[in-house]
Amino acid sequence: MAAPPAPLPSELDDGSDLRSLLERVEEGLTAFLARERGRQEAVTPHEADPARAVAELVRSGGKRIRPRFLLSGYLAAGGTPGERPVRAAMALELLHTAALLHDDVMDDAALRRSVRTAHTWHADLHRARGWRGEPRRYGESMAVLAGDLAWAYADHLIADLSPEVSREWFELKTELIAGQAMDVAASAAALADAELARRIAVLKSGRYTVHRPLVLGALLAGRADLASGFAGYGDALGEAFQLRDDLIDAFGDPEAAGKPTGADARAGRTTLLTALAVRREPRSPGWVSAARTAPPDRGRAGATAHAAVEARIAALLARARQCLADAPLSPEWRRRLAVTAAAAVYRDR
């Protein structure tokens, strides 16, 4: 199995300029969500249930990797600290929150960031109070509404920044939905296709996690000329980021990950890891949709696929670094983004 290059940073490379902006994003999210929750609670408690779910998921933590890349793109493009990039970074984190709330319903996930998911919490509340109807349906409905609300918050925060940012934002959202739809359909059809898995990874994670956030940051700084270099770096790194997620789900430590692992195999999800394992051992039960309750197969097929995915991650990281070398960036930002790339793909959660 391929080992990551050494030494690797244990944290993403945050200079004081980036740390300061990220702190403003956290403060802004806390204040905005408290204000929205209070405004809705003033009418009726149940009106505030979706706002409460959004605030609790944001407060539970997360890597904030999308805001980090947006702000990195902004600073690398010569932007100076201000309100516009902070609002855009807040919007991106809230869009990610919307996606997670919906993901957890689609995946029937019980935990997210080591706490109960919104739909399970609301289902338990329904049972405890003896309300009418199905607890599961109630919980899922409230989580979907919370996701919709987080999406509305995101659109509100990014509105009126600039026509160029609006167009990029639209592309980001449509690609995210397209990737999710492909993922759901491929899982239902039990398709173990490596090229399809790559396309899903690029759309579902690659562009939404790295490529589009970086370009949004560059556009906010008035540097549309950086879009091409950021696109190449972002697509390669974003795909590698998703592949690491796939490996963590299959072979990671649930405690470190903050959620149960093995969900991809149980759901018959189309990932490069599963596609390569099935190609190696077509009847390997841990990787096909018929074995949705089985843990991932960690035998020969799984080990071979694991090594192949690690090699793909290393190749994608090298490609991302080459795109940085070719981009019109300062040496300092080439270095910082290269360090960030390594930290983003060699992680355990």
Side-chain angles (χ1 to χ4, degrees):
M1 187 177 300
L8 288 171
S10 60
E11 297 293 336
L12 297 174
D13 188 32
D14 294 349
S16 60
D17 50 356
L18 183 54
R19 276 197 303 273
S20 175
L21 284 174
L22 285 168
E23 287 169 3
R24 289 176 61 183
V25 169
E26 289 300 314
E27 292 166 359
L29 285 169
T30 299
F32 175 81
L33 293 172
R35 184 168 61 249
E36 285 300 307
R37 179 173 171 178
R39 187 166 66 89
Q40 294 178 2
E41 283 178 336
V43 181
T44 172
H46 290 306
E47 182 176 331
D49 282 351
R52 186 180 303 111
V54 173
E56 288 175 356
L57 182 53
V58 171
R59 189 171 58 244
S60 69
K63 295 179 282 292
R64 304 293 194 257
I65 195 157
R66 291 156 192 86
R68 181 177 273 106
F69 275 117
L70 184 149
L71 295 171
S72 293
Y74 177 77
L75 293 170
T80 56
E83 185 64 24
R84 294 170 75 245
V86 171
R87 282 176 64 89
M90 289 167 58
L92 199 50
E93 186 61 26
L94 286 166
L95 184 68
H96 180 53
T97 301
L100 294 182
L101 287 160
H102 289 165
D103 270 358
D104 288 340
V105 172
M106 290 187 283
D107 296 344
D108 195 21
L111 292 176
R112 167 73 64 181
R113 298 170 182 167
S114 300
V115 298
R116 282 187 301 167
T117 51
H119 69 279
T120 60
W121 188 91
H122 282 97
D124 287 346
L125 177 69
H126 184 285
R127 291 187 192 94
R129 295 187 175 176
W131 289 343
R132 292 187 303 162
E134 298 178 37
R136 177 189 177 98
R137 184 66 176 267
Y138 176 83
E140 291 176 347
S141 296
M142 294 303 295
V144 168
L145 290 169
D148 291 346
L149 183 62
W151 192 286
Y153 287 162
D155 279 344
H156 168 71
L157 286 168
I158 209 161
D160 302 326
L161 290 181
S162 77
E164 295 79 12
V165 167
S166 294
R167 285 194 291 270
E168 194 72 15
W169 184 249
F170 175 75
E171 291 298 327
L172 183 155
K173 292 189 296 182
T174 55
E175 287 170 348
L176 170 60
I177 293 170
Q180 292 282 40
M182 290 170 63
D183 189 26
V184 170
S187 297
L191 300 176
D193 180 273
E195 181 53 32
L196 176 61
R198 190 200 71 81
R199 178 65 177 164
I200 291 171
V202 168
L203 285 181
K204 182 183 173 183
S205 180
R207 295 195 178 155
Y208 152 69
T209 301
V210 189
H211 170 169
R212 299 292 182 192
L214 281 169
V215 172
L216 282 168
L219 292 175
L220 285 165
R223 290 288 306 276
D225 60 300
L226 285 173
S228 177
F230 279 161
Y233 168 87
D235 278 351
L237 179 56
E239 183 182 347
F241 184 90
Q242 180 60 49
L243 293 179
R244 177 59 59 196
D245 269 357
D246 297 342
L247 290 179
I248 290 170
D249 181 80
F251 300 104
D253 176 4
E255 186 172 342
K259 59 183 179 180
T261 54
D264 288 348
R266 288 191 295 272
R269 185 157 290 120
T270 299
T271 67
L272 180 62
L273 182 66
T274 59
L276 292 175
V278 170
R279 181 185 298 172
R280 170 80 181 184
E281 194 70 47
R283 287 189 288 272
S284 178
W287 297 108
V288 295
S289 59
R292 297 189 175 210
T293 59
D297 182 347
R298 298 176 188 239
R300 184 175 59 183
T304 301
H306 191 168
V309 173
E310 287 285 8
R312 174 68 176 166
I313 288 172
L316 287 166
L317 181 59
R319 184 191 303 173
R321 286 172 167 162
Q322 183 58 52
C323 289
L324 286 178
D326 297 337
L329 294 169
S330 69
E332 172 63 12
W333 270 105
R334 286 197 187 99
R335 183 196 68 79
R336 287 174 67 172
L337 287 171
V339 170
T340 297
V345 302
Y346 291 114
R347 64 188 201 283
D348 61 2
R349 62 185 178 91

